[in-house]
Amino acid sequence: MNGIDRAAIDACYEQALKSCNEGGLPIGSALTRGDAIIAVGHNRRVQQGNPILHGEMDCLQNAGRQTSYRDCTLYTSLSPCMMCSGTIVQFKIPRVVIGENSNFGGNEQFLRDHGVDVEVADDPRCIELMARFIAENGALWAEDIAD
């Protein structure tokens, strides 16, 4: 991982922590173009009562309208669900860096099958925060992943 990768994963973690402190799910996201973070977001499904406001979706919404995402990288503290993975493919985002996928194995293969370069950072802060959340909030986690 390069410097912008580390900065963006740090931003994801900070956004995940912010969401957790607000009573939401600890999932954060960042979008970069070149060496700049152009947007961040976090899961606000609980806070806003919006079932599709996952961290990646909030980040993309915060980025506003972009003419293209083909030169962007999307970062997420947790492996993306199918909804977010579909959005990544739809917007033709070429690269995704995942903070961790040990607590939730998302759709890495789906992304790869659609030409997305996927990297997993195995960030210990992201792993610990999500594991603690799942242990303490099992029903809310099950609701979020429609389990």
Side-chain angles (χ1 to χ4, degrees):
M1 287 197 332
N2 59 35
I4 189 63
D5 288 345
R6 178 51 45 208
I9 287 294
D10 289 348
C12 286
Y13 174 76
E14 291 302 320
Q15 287 292 304
L17 194 56
K18 178 179 181 180
S19 184
C20 192
N21 290 337
E22 293 173 353
L25 286 96
I27 304 167
S29 186
L31 184 69
T32 64
R33 176 173 283 123
D35 288 336
I37 296 174
I38 62 172
V40 296
H42 62 274
N43 188 303
R44 296 190 303 156
R45 193 182 63 77
V46 171
Q47 296 93 313
Q48 294 203 358
N50 183 334
I52 63 171
L53 204 47
H54 288 196
E56 301 89 339
M57 304 300 258
D58 186 49
C59 178
L60 290 168
Q61 180 174 303
N62 291 339
R65 182 176 169 199
Q66 303 290 312
T67 57
S68 175
Y69 297 88
R70 293 175 192 238
D71 59 347
C72 293
T73 297
L74 184 70
Y75 299 80
T76 179
S77 63
L78 184 68
S79 187
C81 71
M82 184 52 78
M83 175 181 66
C84 295
S85 295
T87 301
I88 291 163
V89 170
Q90 176 70 31
F91 287 176
K92 297 178 176 48
I93 297 171
R95 182 171 176 252
V96 173
V97 179
I98 299 167
E100 70 104 346
N101 65 353
S102 60
N103 286 296
F104 177 73
N107 297 282
E108 293 95 350
Q109 193 57 51
F110 170 82
L111 291 168
R112 289 182 180 110
D113 289 348
H114 286 85
V116 178
D117 176 23
V118 177
E119 298 175 37
V120 180
D122 289 322
D123 185 274
R125 301 166 302 168
C126 294
I127 294 168
E128 189 278 327
L129 181 61
M130 195 70 218
R132 182 168 28 97
F133 177 82
I134 292 170
E136 295 172 1
N137 301 280
L140 184 55
W141 171 241
E143 177 188 322
D144 191 65
I145 59 172
D147 191 18

